[in-house]
Amino acid sequence: MDIAVWLRGLSLEQYEPAFRDNEIDWEVLPKLTSEDLREIGVVAIGHRRKLLAAIAVLGSETPAPAMAPPARADAERRQLTVMFCDLVGSTALSSQLDPEDLREVIAAYHRAVSQVVAGLDGFVAKYMGDGVLVYFGYPQAHEDDAERAVRAGLGVIDAVGRLDVKSVGLQARVGIATGLVVVGDLIGEGSAQEQSVVGEIPTLAARLQALAEPDAVVIAAGTRRLIGDLFEVRDLGAVEVKGIAGPVSAWQVLRPSAVASRFEALRGWALSPLVGRDEEIDLLLRRGGAPRPATARSCWSPANLASASRASPRRWRSASTPSHISACAISARPITKTARSIRSSTARPGGRVRARLPARRQAGEARGRARPRSTTR
């Protein structure tokens, strides 16, 4: 409410210019005294008493505190891998088991899933009865979140299959999808509060899980592209997914592949050719050529002559030619003082070969030969 309206309610609107000229607002009004009112021009005692009484009423009326908005995390755009896990045949179990027994089965299933996910640094976003929603890439992101999600899916299938609760055999199925989402908005209140994910990816993961067979992990194209050849997969072709326009490519993950190199598994064997190295390649071809037994050399480390004599030339393969180029194997061991002093050997008449001695040692022997021998009397 405006000060002018408040004054008109007291039938004292003639003091509106005085309040406005002295910049009296709702923050200053409760602090006014009788002397202040006299100074701004309220001369009549009755008017001053009336204003002071109205100000006292304003001070006693404390407005009810507004309800603070719920705490909210800042939403952000992220690359997220979503894994949706479901317990196969849970509806049939609910009709076969007592509710307390079914509760133990569901609790054991949840514990198995959460342990596998925690071991791969995933985040269990929500338990939905017999379903579990898991994020890889939020709140903590990793370079290999897609790979972690697939390994978690295979681990969940194995862990749930090994559960023995109430003599009931359990099976799970998993759907995984990767893509851009907006994550971080807090929705709901109290125990129902959760961090929502907005985008197509959670829906796609749930739909792929529904298409999966028992004990199977089905992934979308985004996840398949990121895992490369780290896993053996079976192409399921293009499948129709409810709620998504057009067919969606899907793959079933069979097992981890036996690859020797993660680089080759993620990048493939097709390496790009060397660019701008024609001169260097030509030099290697000219200097190397085919190895000749009469002139072949091997570089050796003087610190170990025995191993140097057994050193075999390394083979170099150019990215643009299949030719093999021989090159010497160079050791990184430091050259010792004794080794540095070794020089090329010279042949003496008679076929004996003697290595030349260091210059300092040769000078010492020459002085020893020139010194006359002492005679004992």
Side-chain angles (χ1 to χ4, degrees):
M1 185 172 57
D2 191 14
I3 294 290
V5 177
W6 179 72
L7 289 173
R8 284 195 294 270
L10 298 174
S11 300
L12 298 174
E13 61 272 4
Q14 65 270 27
Y15 298 112
E16 180 182 346
F19 275 69
R20 185 175 58 252
D21 295 342
N22 288 275
E23 299 183 355
I24 297 176
D25 54 14
W26 288 108
E27 185 178 356
V28 178
L29 185 62
K31 302 176 184 178
L32 290 179
T33 63
S34 179
E35 296 296 329
D36 297 331
L37 294 174
R38 183 183 293 110
E39 289 183 7
I40 65 175
V42 183
V43 180
I45 295 176
H47 291 174
R48 289 203 302 272
R49 293 293 183 183
K50 194 173 183 178
L51 286 170
L52 290 174
I55 291 172
V57 173
L58 288 176
S60 62
E61 294 178 354
T62 56
M67 182 177 295
R72 174 183 175 277
D74 292 333
E76 55 184 316
R77 185 183 181 94
R78 280 212 184 192
Q79 174 91 354
L80 188 68
T81 298
V82 178
M83 184 181 83
F84 199 94
C85 181
D86 181 65
L87 182 64
V88 178
S90 58
T91 304
L93 288 176
S94 64
S95 61
Q96 298 172 4
L97 299 177
D98 183 81
E100 293 185 358
D101 295 337
L102 181 62
R103 172 180 171 273
E104 294 183 17
V105 172
I106 298 296
Y109 159 70
H110 285 169
R111 286 195 299 270
V113 174
S114 62
Q115 289 174 1
V116 173
V117 171
L120 291 164
D121 212 4
F123 173 68
V124 177
K126 190 176 182 180
Y127 294 105
M128 297 173 287
D130 60 346
V132 183
L133 180 63
V134 181
Y135 299 156
F136 286 88
Y138 180 86
Q140 185 175 1
H142 305 84
E143 182 181 358
D144 56 345
D145 280 320
E147 178 189 348
R148 290 169 181 258
V150 175
R151 293 191 185 279
L154 295 175
V156 166
I157 297 296
D158 180 66
V160 173
R162 288 187 285 104
L163 288 177
D164 185 12
V165 184
K166 300 298 180 182
S167 300
V168 176
L170 301 179
Q171 291 177 305
R173 54 189 175 192
V174 176
I176 301 174
T178 304
L180 290 176
V181 299
V182 175
V183 60
D185 280 327
L186 289 176
I187 60 174
E189 296 180 0
S191 60
Q193 191 176 72
E194 62 180 85
Q195 291 177 322
S196 68
V197 172
V198 179
E200 182 186 45
I201 300 306
T203 303
L204 179 57
R207 296 289 185 265
L208 292 178
Q209 171 274 136
L211 294 174
E213 299 177 355
D215 291 337
V217 178
V218 177
I219 61 175
T223 308
R224 174 68 182 90
R225 183 175 60 255
L226 292 174
I227 64 173
D229 294 331
L230 291 172
F231 301 88
E232 296 180 11
V233 298
R234 180 169 66 91
D235 191 356
L236 301 179
V239 296
E240 295 291 337
V241 176
K242 182 180 178 181
I244 298 178
V248 175
S249 299
W251 289 263
Q252 178 183 346
V253 181
L254 303 178
R255 64 188 66 86
S257 61
V259 293
S261 170
R262 288 179 56 85
F263 179 83
E264 294 173 355
L266 294 174
R267 301 296 185 269
W269 292 89
L271 299 180
S272 59
L274 294 176
V275 178
R277 292 292 183 266
D278 296 336
E279 183 179 352
E280 288 81 357
I281 294 174
D282 292 339
L283 178 61
L284 289 174
L285 291 174
R286 291 195 307 269
R287 295 293 179 86
R292 292 172 296 178
T295 59
R297 296 183 303 170
S298 62
C299 298
W300 43 269
S301 170
N304 192 344
L305 299 180
S307 62
S309 62
R310 297 191 300 269
S312 61
R314 292 183 181 177
R315 298 290 185 180
W316 293 74
R317 181 185 294 273
S318 170
S320 59
T321 176
S323 301
H324 288 77
I325 303 167
S326 61
C328 58
I330 302 176
S331 174
R333 291 191 294 271
I335 299 176
T336 61
K337 180 178 178 181
T338 304
R340 284 197 301 266
S341 64
I342 297 177
R343 297 188 178 183
S344 60
S345 61
T346 58
R348 288 187 173 182
R352 296 185 61 186
V353 178
R354 179 184 179 186
R356 287 186 178 178
L357 298 175
R360 184 176 300 176
R361 185 173 175 182
Q362 290 179 359
E365 291 186 359
R367 287 194 300 270
R369 290 193 298 268
R371 185 179 305 166
R373 295 184 179 180
S374 60
T375 59
T376 305
R377 294 182 180 181

